[in-house]
Amino acid sequence: MITIAKNITYQMTSAIENGFRPGMDKHSDKLNNHNESTYKIYSYASRNEMIDFAHRFGKFMKKHYPDIRQVKEIGIEQVNAYLASKGNVTQKTMQHEVACLNKLSLCVNKKFGISTDFTTGRIVPVMEVKRKRDVVFTKEQVQGLKEYFDTKKDCYSKTAFFIGERFALRASEITKLQYRDIDWENKKLHIIDSKGKRSRVIDITGDDIAFLKKITQSLADKDRLIPLKSDSICAYLNRACKHLGYDNITQAKTSYHSLRKYSISLKMQEKEKELGSKSAARKYCMDYLGHGKNRSDLQSVYLHNIE
């Protein structure tokens, strides 16, 4: 009798490793051993995707079904609940999740000699097709990132996230910021040589001054606030989103762009209350972003209703 470990994620990953066959000719194996090939994984890329999936699914099970300790106890109720929880992903990602569930079922059945069925009665949500430029963080996702970063040690990439969240800046703009770009007296932040070599000046409001003083205590003149390349801070945020299961963000590969849209949308709501005019608030926000006020196409891209 096969002994099954108590950790459900470990059970899934061990079953995946059991089916991993690096270097084996997939075509020949499927041709000659069709019935025995279904649970096998032939490439490192596929193996890594399945391991990532096992961690996502395992984390979901631990959070929502802590009493289920073994893969043989997972039923269609849990499968459907998991798929329903992926509400912000694209249809392509949803199809990928379904494919991973299918393969996982085959792997655990082979490894442990059980008969899980992740297909009968399965309900696969039909996702709304969204363009990459339409993807934006939700309040819950941003709060989740803040709580996650609270558990991580301070670093430039972590600070970059909070700069982007406060000021709705592009990743490239964050990494170009210098100490001398902060006008403390007039509470202005100078964004120099941004996209299209355009520069602009944005307001520093609320507790932004205290935040900037905290992160620039040891800086002066030409010192950069974030002395990293934009690719580095994007990769850091993408890894955090992947860890938290924010598939709509990682799939679109627009983490800072999505954060920029989230932040400016909140500012839009604040300005509309302050100015008493939606059109005036929109003009302010488009100027703030460095876009022309008459770019109605961009207004629909950047300004969202954040619940």
Side-chain angles (χ1 to χ4, degrees), residues 184-225:
W184 301 102
E185 183 178 353
N186 297 304
K187 296 185 178 180
K188 301 289 183 182
L189 187 62
H190 293 261
I191 311 301
I192 307 298
D193 287 341
S194 184
K195 190 174 181 180
K197 294 298 180 182
R198 293 188 295 270
S199 299
R200 66 186 189 281
V201 181
I202 62 177
D203 294 323
I204 300 174
T205 59
D207 63 351
D208 292 341
I209 287 287
F211 168 76
L212 288 171
K213 283 185 175 179
K214 180 181 179 181
I215 67 171
T216 60
Q217 332 181 27
S218 59
L219 304 183
D221 199 31
K222 296 182 180 180
D223 291 339
R224 292 163 61 201
L225 274 60

Side-chain angles (χ1 to χ4, degrees), residues 43 59 99 114 117 159 172 245 260 267 294:
S43 72
K59 185 177 179 180
I114 57 180
D117 180 5
T159 302
S172 58
R260 181 165 148 90
K267 192 171 290 292
N294 296 319

Side-chain angles (χ1 to χ4, degrees), residues 46-70:
S46 296
R47 177 259 182 197
N48 292 340
E49 286 181 356
M50 285 299 300
I51 292 292
D52 286 344
F53 171 78
H55 282 280
R56 291 197 300 275
F57 193 30
K59 185 177 179 180
F60 172 85
M61 290 297 301
K62 183 178 180 180
K63 179 179 180 180
H64 297 282
Y65 298 95
D67 294 336
I68 293 181
R69 302 295 182 85
Q70 297 188 342

Side-chain angles (χ1 to χ4, degrees), residues 57 60-61 65 68 73-82:
F57 193 30
F60 172 85
M61 290 297 301
Y65 298 95
I68 293 181
E73 298 171 4
I74 300 175
I76 202 64
E77 175 188 344
Q78 290 73 41
V79 168
N80 285 339
Y82 174 75

Side-chain angles (χ1 to χ4, degrees), residues 39 45 61 66 134 198 219 242 246 252 266 277 302:
Y39 73 94
M61 290 297 301
D134 293 330
R198 293 188 295 270
L219 304 183
K242 184 175 182 179
Y246 297 167
L266 288 186
S277 166
Y302 282 94

Side-chain angles (χ1 to χ4, degrees), residues 99-294:
C100 287
L101 280 167
N102 293 342
K103 178 63 76 171
L104 178 64
S105 178
L106 295 169
C107 287
V108 297
N109 286 347
K110 178 66 178 180
K111 169 72 175 178
F112 301 116
I114 57 180
S115 301
T116 61
D117 180 5
F118 292 168
T119 58
T120 303
R122 185 168 64 197
I123 301 172
V124 181
V126 177
M127 311 310 296
E128 180 183 351
V129 177
K130 289 189 175 182
R131 299 170 300 174
K132 289 184 178 181
R133 66 188 322 209
D134 293 330
V135 178
V136 59
F137 278 102
T138 64
K139 271 188 179 179
E140 290 75 16
Q141 287 177 326
V142 172
Q143 184 59 36
L145 283 166
K146 289 179 177 180
E147 292 172 0
Y148 175 72
F149 288 142
D150 279 344
T151 68
K152 301 298 176 183
K153 65 180 181 180
D154 290 341
C155 65
Y156 286 122
S157 291
K158 175 179 171 179
T159 302
F161 165 80
F162 288 101
I163 293 174
E165 188 259 338
R166 279 179 177 269
F167 299 108
L169 300 180
R170 299 180 178 94
S172 58
E173 293 170 344
I174 294 171
T175 57
K176 283 182 182 178
L177 278 178
Q178 298 179 4
Y179 182 81
R180 61 180 178 173
D181 295 331
I182 306 171
D183 182 346
W184 301 102
E185 183 178 353
N186 297 304
K187 296 185 178 180
K188 301 289 183 182
L189 187 62
H190 293 261
I191 311 301
I192 307 298
D193 287 341
S194 184
K195 190 174 181 180
K197 294 298 180 182
R198 293 188 295 270
S199 299
R200 66 186 189 281
V201 181
I202 62 177
D203 294 323
I204 300 174
T205 59
D207 63 351
D208 292 341
I209 287 287
F211 168 76
L212 288 171
K213 283 185 175 179
K214 180 181 179 181
I215 67 171
T216 60
Q217 332 181 27
S218 59
L219 304 183
D221 199 31
K222 296 182 180 180
D223 291 339
R224 292 163 61 201
L225 274 60
I226 307 296
L228 300 173
K229 292 182 178 180
S230 57
D231 285 350
S232 296
I233 67 171
C234 287
Y236 182 85
L237 180 52
N238 284 333
R239 285 194 297 271
C241 289
K242 184 175 182 179
H243 175 81
L244 293 171
Y246 297 167
D247 297 329
N248 62 321
I249 304 296
T250 55
Q251 181 73 22
K253 300 178 182 178
T254 59
S255 56
Y256 269 94
H257 197 210
S258 297
L259 183 62
R260 181 165 148 90
K261 287 180 285 189
Y262 166 83
S263 301
I264 200 62
S265 295
L266 288 186
K267 192 171 290 292
M268 168 72 185
Q269 293 172 12
E270 294 170 5
K271 279 294 172 181
E272 187 176 348
K273 290 179 182 177
E274 178 188 326
L275 300 174
S277 166
K278 181 172 286 189
S279 60
R282 282 176 175 168
K283 178 186 181 305
Y284 174 89
C285 289
M286 297 313 287
D287 288 342
Y288 187 100
L289 292 173
H291 294 303
K293 62 181 180 181
N294 296 319

